[in-house]
Each structure stands twice: as C-alpha cells, then as structure tokens.
Amino acid sequence: MKIHFGRLADGGTKSAVKNLIGRFFPGSRMEFRDSTVVVTDCRPETAADFVPAAEALTGVSWVEMELREECPLAVAAKKKFRLFDFSRGPVFIGGPCSVENEEKYLADAQALKTAGVHALRAALFKPRSSPYAFQGIGFEGVSIIKKAKEITGLPLVTEVTDPRQIEKMPDVTDVLQIGARNMRAYELLKEAGRSKMPVLLKRTARATLREWLLSAEYLLKYGSTDLILCERGDGIGSEFPVNLDMMRSAMKATGLPVFADPCHSAEGAAAATDAAVNALAVGADGLLIEAEIDPHKAKTDGRHTMTVQSIAALIKKRSS
Ligand code: PEP
Ligand code: MN
C-alpha cells in the first residue's frame, strides 16, 4: 500500500500517518520517501477502514493499494473450473443471444453440439437498454433449456439479472453468467457467490482491471470456487473491439481462466470472427459466442451472431 502526500503535507502529517499505520497495522514495515510512504503486508479488511481514516488526514492526497492487497482471493485464484478441462485447448460456449422458443432453440442446440461447442448459451433473461425490447422468455424457458441439455449432454450457461432468480438456478442451469451491465451489481454478485455455482463474470465496458477483479473478489469472498473472467470489449463498433491488453493484464494479474466474448463489441459477424481469432491468439482459455443456424431470424443481436458453420470452422481450426 502506498500513501501519497499532497501539497499540504508537513512533519505533522507524516507523524499522524505513522501513528495511524502503527494503530491499524502493528508491526508492519513502513518506508517513508519524499512524497509517499509504502506499507507492506496490509490485509484488505483492515485496509478498508484504514484508507478513509488516512485520506481524512490533512496533507494526505490518496492511498493506493496493490491488486494483491485489494483482491487477494482473485489474485491467488487458480485456473480451474469444475465443468471444463483447459488443458485440452480453448473452451467454446455457443448459442443464440436469447432463447426464443423450443423448436428454434433445440435445433440450434443440436447443430451447435455437432459444431463442437463444449457448453450452450441458455439465455432466459435479457438485460435490455429499452423497456420495450424483448426481455427474454424468463422462467417459461426452463423446460426448453433442460430439454436441450438432455439431448446434447452439454452444460448450460445462463445470465442472471436479479438476485431473486438465483435460488432457483441450481435446478435450471450449470453456470451463472453475470453480464457486463451487472458487473457492479454487488448484491447480485454476493448472491451468486453464496450459491456456490460456477460463474462467468463479464467486464463492463470501460471498467478497469481493478474494478473487474474487485467484482471477482466479491464472488470469491461470498463463496464462488469456480470462476471465469470474460472480456467483452468497451462498447460496440470497430473502435471498441475485445480489449486484448485487458485480457493480457487479467492473465498476468490472476490465475483465473480468462475468456472473451468476441460478439457484443463487434460490428457484424465477420468482425466477431476476427475478434475471436485475436482473443485466441493472446491465449484466451475460451470464448463465449453468439451462434445459431439462422442469425437473420434472431430477435436479439442477430447482426453479430455467427452462423453454426462459422463457429464450427473456428472450433475445427483450433483443434486441428
Ligand atoms: C449477453 O451475453 O447476452 C449479453 C447481454 O452481453 P453483455 O453483458 O456483454 O452486454
Ligand atoms: Mn446478445
């Protein structure tokens, strides 16, 4: 942890900081420099109370914590996920943006199984910008996705948008997806953690690595043991493709599996395929892809949804 002194800092500030450090972190090592003091071995629970107390002192401008101090569980986490074996190459999760009806979803699911996906997107709840847009079929779709699992034998990945959905989820799906919009929905993260179900956590557009890992920390602190980080880009369009630097930083900072969703920031399916290839090239552990037989018929996100042939080609190229 580094405490930065501001313009108003004087000897009084420094001794007040020294006392505060001694009180909160007895026995810790402090190294005073001109404009900072570095403190080693800070526990996050204690630091949480220390930071506001330190920042309230005249002459302290801000307190900076290292990722391993703020997100110890995320930083120490290992690459494991009870449903996937990453040593066998990247994992492909595929499926339409939304589950719409039984006939269409079962046909897509079977075609995607043949294409080689390892798990199915099974999206029942759609967080939409407009309240008039299709919101997903909700719990009515449970029997449809269960049938798809029965037929294909593939695990299901379902986005949750409200903590109240979660208690039903162990009987509905295999992996909880926390979408980009909800990366900062802390009550949702707590409840998802408490469920102990596997979770895939997307990064919100323009969120920093720190914010993303703090959300991961919520999940791990509240009980998650199997967690995937999923990068999805900083918006929509060619200016905001999947953030490869962010993926590299996440891989460096934590042992957690790092996936990419190449679709939601892509302007079209061709761009999504390019983004998928780029994400695999930087070492993505897997991809979450919107794919279906006929993207033109999709109620949501058809324009960046890959065809089954495209995802099949991508998977084949990867495994050959
Ligand atoms: C999704 O994967 O269906 C989705 C809503 O994406 P995002 O959370 O990345 O916007
Ligand atoms: Mn979508």
Side-chain angles (χ1 to χ4, degrees), residues 33-320:
R33 297 178 192 152
D34 268 0
S35 57
T36 59
V37 51
V38 176
V39 190
T40 46
D41 300 330
C42 304
R43 291 184 54 74
E45 298 86 344
T46 318
D49 290 335
F50 171 81
V51 173
E55 287 180 343
L57 293 173
T58 306
V60 169
S61 59
W62 57 293
V63 178
E64 182 185 357
M65 287 173 74
E66 288 179 33
L67 279 177
R68 69 180 167 81
E69 292 170 328
E70 274 193 302
C71 324
L73 302 174
V75 165
K78 296 279 174 286
K79 187 173 297 189
K80 69 159 190 70
F81 200 79
R82 67 185 91 142
L83 296 166
F84 305 135
D85 176 1
F86 300 113
S87 68
R88 304 181 64 181
V91 167
F92 291 85
I93 305 169
C97 177
S98 321
V99 176
E100 295 178 22
N101 60 62
E102 179 165 326
E103 193 187 348
K104 181 170 173 298
Y105 189 69
L106 294 186
D108 286 334
Q110 286 171 93
L112 288 161
K113 160 89 178 178
T114 308
V117 304
H118 304 96
L120 291 170
R121 278 181 61 94
L124 303 177
F125 311 100
K126 298 307 301 176
R128 307 303 304 282
S129 304
S130 164
Y132 303 106
F134 177 56
Q135 305 284 309
I137 58 171
F139 284 110
E140 265 178 50
V142 170
S143 61
I144 302 176
I145 62 174
K146 280 191 171 176
K147 220 175 258 180
K149 179 174 174 173
E150 220 174 272
I151 296 170
T152 62
L154 294 174
L156 306 173
V157 180
T158 302
E159 178 164 0
V160 282
T161 53
D162 185 315
R164 290 168 296 185
Q165 294 157 354
I166 292 179
E167 66 172 343
K168 302 203 176 81
M169 288 299 130
D171 188 41
V172 167
T173 192
D174 300 288
V175 180
L176 303 179
Q177 177 177 327
I178 308 280
R181 287 169 181 79
N182 286 315
M183 186 200 87
R184 298 192 185 96
Y186 302 115
E187 297 307 318
L188 185 66
L189 296 173
K190 289 181 195 173
E191 205 52 36
R194 287 187 196 110
S195 77
K196 305 229 182 325
M197 289 183 70
V199 176
L200 178 145
L201 172 68
K202 288 204 189 180
R203 183 179 69 90
T204 296
R206 288 180 281 281
T208 61
L209 177 67
R210 172 179 174 268
E211 291 171 303
W212 194 15
L213 293 187
L214 280 168
S215 292
E217 191 76 9
Y218 262 96
L219 288 160
L220 296 166
K221 179 173 183 321
Y222 279 82
S224 299
T225 51
D226 299 78
L227 176 59
I228 288 170
L229 297 174
C230 183
E231 159 60 25
R232 54 82 79 211
D234 286 303
I236 297 173
S238 48
E239 286 172 69
F240 309 106
V242 165
N243 188 332
L244 301 175
D245 282 340
M246 186 60 76
M247 290 180 70
R248 287 192 197 94
S249 305
M251 289 169 190
K252 215 166 133 191
T254 160
L256 289 167
V258 178
F259 278 41
D261 163 358
C263 294
H264 283 90
S265 59
E267 216 173 322
T273 304
D274 291 346
V277 170
N278 292 340
L280 292 173
V282 300
D285 295 299
L287 297 174
L288 173 73
I289 292 178
E290 289 189 343
E292 61 180 274
I293 294 169
D294 188 355
H296 296 290
K297 293 211 179 113
K299 274 192 180 177
T300 55
D301 285 353
R303 75 176 203 150
H304 64 224
T305 296
M306 291 185 198
T307 59
V308 170
Q309 288 89 332
S310 309
I311 193 173
L314 195 65
I315 297 171
K316 189 154 176 243
K317 207 154 118 201
R318 248 346 256 205
S319 34
S320 58

